[in-house]
Amino acid sequence: MAQVHIDGDKLIVEMEGLDKLWALKSRLVIPLANVRGATADPGIARERKGVRAPGTHVPGVLTAGTFHIDGEQVFWDVRDPAKAVVIQLADERYARLVVQVTDPRETVEHIEAALR
């Protein structure tokens, strides 16, 4: 699971507990200017993940780390797809962040409010 918050003009995504190990990343800092939007998307877990490098993928259990698909890199940290939020980025290493949060609707509203 990840904690997503806004600090000034930056979006901060912090992985919690063992997710740091599975995702091989503890924190992502993204300028808000490079965030295009966020959506709650429980169906995204059924999409192709691409090639994992580096990260962890146990189908039906855990997807965490960097995945390469269709020429893009996508960061995943999801165990429970019902709580997945997709954050679209531009001009960043990752095209999207797919992270599990405690309250997807609240997280999306928080990000969208910061982008206005």
Side-chain angles (χ1 to χ4, degrees):
M1 186 173 304
Q3 294 289 323
V4 177
H5 57 94
I6 307 296
D7 183 12
D9 63 348
K10 294 184 174 42
L11 173 79
I12 313 289
V13 179
E14 295 182 279
M15 277 44 80
E16 298 181 315
L18 286 175
D19 287 13
K20 294 175 190 174
L21 176 66
W22 307 133
L24 299 172
K25 199 162 288 294
S26 60
R27 186 173 199 217
L28 295 165
V29 178
I30 310 290
L32 279 176
N34 294 349
V35 177
R36 295 295 174 244
T39 57
D41 187 355
I44 193 148
R46 291 187 298 269
E47 291 187 8
R48 292 182 310 128
K49 309 298 182 291
V51 177
R52 170 179 41 102
T56 306
H57 182 63
V58 180
V61 178
L62 168 70
T63 305
T66 301
F67 291 74
H68 302 259
I69 185 166
D70 299 329
E72 296 181 333
Q73 291 187 51
V74 179
F75 179 81
W76 286 79
D77 183 19
V78 176
R79 289 176 188 240
D80 180 358
K83 295 183 177 183
V85 169
V86 180
I87 303 169
Q88 297 287 341
L89 305 176
D91 302 322
E92 287 290 328
R93 173 181 175 197
Y94 296 107
R96 292 182 288 166
L97 309 177
V98 184
V99 295
Q100 177 181 330
V101 296
T102 302
D103 186 336
R105 180 175 293 187
E106 180 180 319
T107 300
V108 167
E109 289 174 2
H110 186 61
I111 293 169
E112 292 293 331
L115 295 176
R116 291 184 205 132

